[in-house]
Coordinates of all heavy atoms in Angstrom, one line a residue:
V1 N -43.1 33.5 50.1 CA -41.9 33.0 50.8 C -42.0 33.7 52.2 O -42.5 34.8 52.4 CB -40.6 33.3 50.2 CG1 -40.4 32.5 48.9 CG2 -40.4 34.8 49.9
V2 N -41.4 33.0 53.2 CA -41.3 33.4 54.5 C -39.8 33.7 54.8 O -38.9 32.8 54.6 CB -41.8 32.4 55.5 CG1 -41.5 32.8 57.0 CG2 -43.3 32.2 55.3
A3 N -39.4 34.9 55.2 CA -38.0 35.3 55.4 C -37.6 34.9 56.8 O -38.4 35.1 57.8 CB -37.8 36.8 55.2
Y4 N -36.5 34.2 57.0 CA -35.9 33.9 58.3 C -34.5 34.5 58.4 O -33.6 34.3 57.6 CB -35.8 32.4 58.4 CG -35.1 31.9 59.7 CD1 -35.8 32.1 60.9 CD2 -33.8 31.4 59.7 CE1 -35.2 31.7 62.1 CE2 -33.2 31.0 60.9 CZ -33.9 31.2 62.1 OH -33.3 30.8 63.3
L5 N -34.4 35.4 59.4 CA -33.1 36.1 59.7 C -32.6 35.6 61.0 O -33.3 35.4 62.0 CB -33.3 37.6 59.7 CG -33.6 38.3 58.4 CD1 -35.0 37.9 57.8 CD2 -33.6 39.8 58.7
R6 N -31.2 35.4 61.1 CA -30.7 35.0 62.4 C -29.3 35.7 62.6 O -28.5 35.7 61.6 CB -30.5 33.5 62.4 CG -29.9 33.0 63.7 CD -29.9 31.4 63.8 NE -28.9 30.9 62.9 CZ -27.6 30.6 63.3 NH1 -27.3 30.8 64.5 NH2 -26.8 30.1 62.4
V7 N -29.1 36.1 63.8 CA -27.7 36.6 64.1 C -27.4 36.0 65.5 O -28.2 35.6 66.3 CB -27.7 38.2 64.3 CG1 -27.8 38.8 62.9 CG2 -28.8 38.7 65.2
S8 N -26.1 36.0 65.7 CA -25.5 35.4 67.0 C -24.4 36.3 67.4 O -23.6 36.8 66.6 CB -25.0 34.0 66.8 OG -24.2 33.6 67.8
T9 N -24.4 36.6 68.7 CA -23.3 37.5 69.2 C -22.0 36.9 69.1 O -21.0 37.5 69.0 CB -23.6 37.8 70.7 OG1 -23.7 36.6 71.5 CG2 -24.8 38.6 70.9
S10 N -21.9 35.5 69.0 CA -20.6 34.8 68.9 C -20.2 34.6 67.5 O -19.1 34.3 67.2 CB -20.7 33.5 69.7 OG -21.7 32.7 69.2
R11 N -21.2 34.6 66.6 CA -20.8 34.1 65.2 C -21.2 35.1 64.1 O -21.0 34.9 63.0 CB -21.5 32.8 64.9 CG -21.0 31.6 65.7 CD -21.4 30.3 65.1 NE -22.8 30.1 65.3 CZ -23.4 29.5 66.4 NH1 -22.7 29.1 67.4 NH2 -24.7 29.4 66.4
Q12 N -21.8 36.2 64.5 CA -22.2 37.2 63.4 C -21.0 37.6 62.6 O -21.1 37.7 61.4 CB -22.9 38.4 64.0 CG -23.4 39.4 63.0 CD -23.9 40.6 63.6 OE1 -23.9 40.8 64.8 NE2 -24.4 41.5 62.8
G13 N -19.9 38.0 63.2 CA -18.8 38.5 62.5 C -18.3 37.5 61.5 O -17.8 37.8 60.4
R14 N -18.4 36.2 61.7 CA -17.9 35.2 60.8 C -18.8 35.1 59.6 O -18.3 34.9 58.5 CB -17.9 33.8 61.5 CG -17.1 32.7 60.8 CD -17.3 31.4 61.5 NE -16.9 31.5 62.9 CZ -17.1 30.6 63.8 NH1 -17.7 29.4 63.5 NH2 -16.8 30.7 65.1
S15 N -20.0 35.4 59.7 CA -20.9 35.3 58.6 C -20.9 36.6 57.8 O -21.0 36.6 56.6 CB -22.4 35.1 59.1 OG -23.3 35.4 58.0
G16 N -20.7 37.7 58.5 CA -20.6 39.0 57.8 C -22.0 39.6 57.4 O -22.1 40.5 56.6
L17 N -23.0 39.0 57.9 CA -24.4 39.5 57.6 C -25.1 39.8 58.9 O -25.5 38.9 59.6 CB -25.1 38.5 56.8 CG -24.8 38.4 55.3 CD1 -25.7 37.3 54.6 CD2 -25.0 39.7 54.6
G18 N -25.4 41.1 59.1 CA -26.2 41.5 60.2 C -27.7 41.4 59.8 O -28.0 41.1 58.6
L19 N -28.6 41.8 60.7 CA -30.0 41.8 60.4 C -30.4 42.6 59.1 O -31.1 42.1 58.2 CB -30.8 42.2 61.6 CG -30.9 41.3 62.7 CD1 -31.7 41.9 63.9 CD2 -31.6 40.0 62.3
E20 N -29.9 43.8 59.1 CA -30.3 44.7 58.0 C -29.7 44.2 56.7 O -30.4 44.3 55.6 CB -29.8 46.1 58.3 CG -30.6 46.8 59.4 CD -32.1 46.9 59.2 OE1 -32.5 47.0 58.0 OE2 -32.8 46.9 60.2
A21 N -28.5 43.7 56.7 CA -27.9 43.2 55.5 C -28.7 41.9 55.0 O -28.9 41.8 53.8 CB -26.4 42.8 55.7
Q22 N -29.1 41.1 55.9 CA -29.8 39.9 55.5 C -31.2 40.3 54.9 O -31.7 39.7 53.9 CB -30.1 39.0 56.7 CG -28.8 38.3 57.2 CD -29.1 37.4 58.5 OE1 -29.9 36.5 58.4 NE2 -28.4 37.7 59.6
R23 N -31.8 41.3 55.6 CA -33.2 41.7 55.1 C -33.1 42.3 53.7 O -33.9 42.0 52.9 CB -33.7 42.7 56.1 CG -35.1 43.2 55.8 CD -35.7 44.2 56.8 NE -36.0 43.5 58.1 CZ -35.4 43.7 59.2 NH1 -34.4 44.6 59.3 NH2 -35.7 43.0 60.3
E24 N -32.0 43.1 53.5 CA -31.9 43.7 52.2 C -31.5 42.7 51.1 O -32.1 42.7 50.0 CB -30.7 44.8 52.2 CG -30.5 45.5 50.9 CD -29.4 46.5 51.0 OE1 -28.9 46.8 52.1 OE2 -29.0 47.1 50.0
N25 N -30.7 41.7 51.5 CA -30.3 40.6 50.6 C -31.6 39.8 50.2 O -31.8 39.6 49.0 CB -29.3 39.7 51.3 CG -28.8 38.6 50.4 OD1 -29.6 37.7 50.0 ND2 -27.5 38.5 50.2
I26 N -32.4 39.5 51.1 CA -33.6 38.7 50.8 C -34.6 39.5 50.0 O -35.2 39.0 49.1 CB -34.3 38.2 52.1 CG1 -33.4 37.1 52.8 CG2 -35.7 37.6 51.8 CD1 -33.8 36.7 54.1
S27 N -34.7 40.8 50.3 CA -35.7 41.7 49.6 C -35.3 41.8 48.1 O -36.1 41.7 47.2 CB -35.7 43.1 50.3 OG -36.5 43.9 49.6
R28 N -34.0 42.0 47.9 CA -33.5 42.1 46.5 C -33.7 40.8 45.7 O -34.1 40.8 44.6 CB -32.0 42.5 46.4 CG -31.7 43.9 46.8 CD -30.3 44.3 46.3 NE -29.3 43.3 46.7 CZ -28.6 43.4 47.8 NH1 -28.7 44.5 48.6 NH2 -27.7 42.5 48.1
F29 N -33.4 39.7 46.4 CA -33.6 38.4 45.8 C -35.0 38.1 45.4 O -35.3 37.7 44.3 CB -33.1 37.3 46.7 CG -33.3 35.9 46.2 CD1 -32.4 35.3 45.4 CD2 -34.4 35.2 46.7 CE1 -32.5 34.0 44.9 CE2 -34.6 33.9 46.2 CZ -33.6 33.3 45.3

């Protein structure tokens, strides 16, 4: 699988997932 991570200065807070959190989430999955 190829991991794709995305953050936005205007919408990151709405998602609640920064880069490190997304990376850890995908790694565990």
Side-chain angles (χ1 to χ4, degrees):
V1 292
V2 173
Y4 176 71
L5 289 66
R6 182 175 72 92
V7 289
S8 164
T9 57
S10 61
R11 293 193 292 269
Q12 181 187 2
R14 195 182 307 170
S15 168
L17 280 182
L19 284 177
E20 292 301 329
Q22 290 178 58
R23 183 176 289 118
E24 182 180 351
N25 182 297
I26 291 172
S27 177
R28 287 200 309 266
F29 175 85

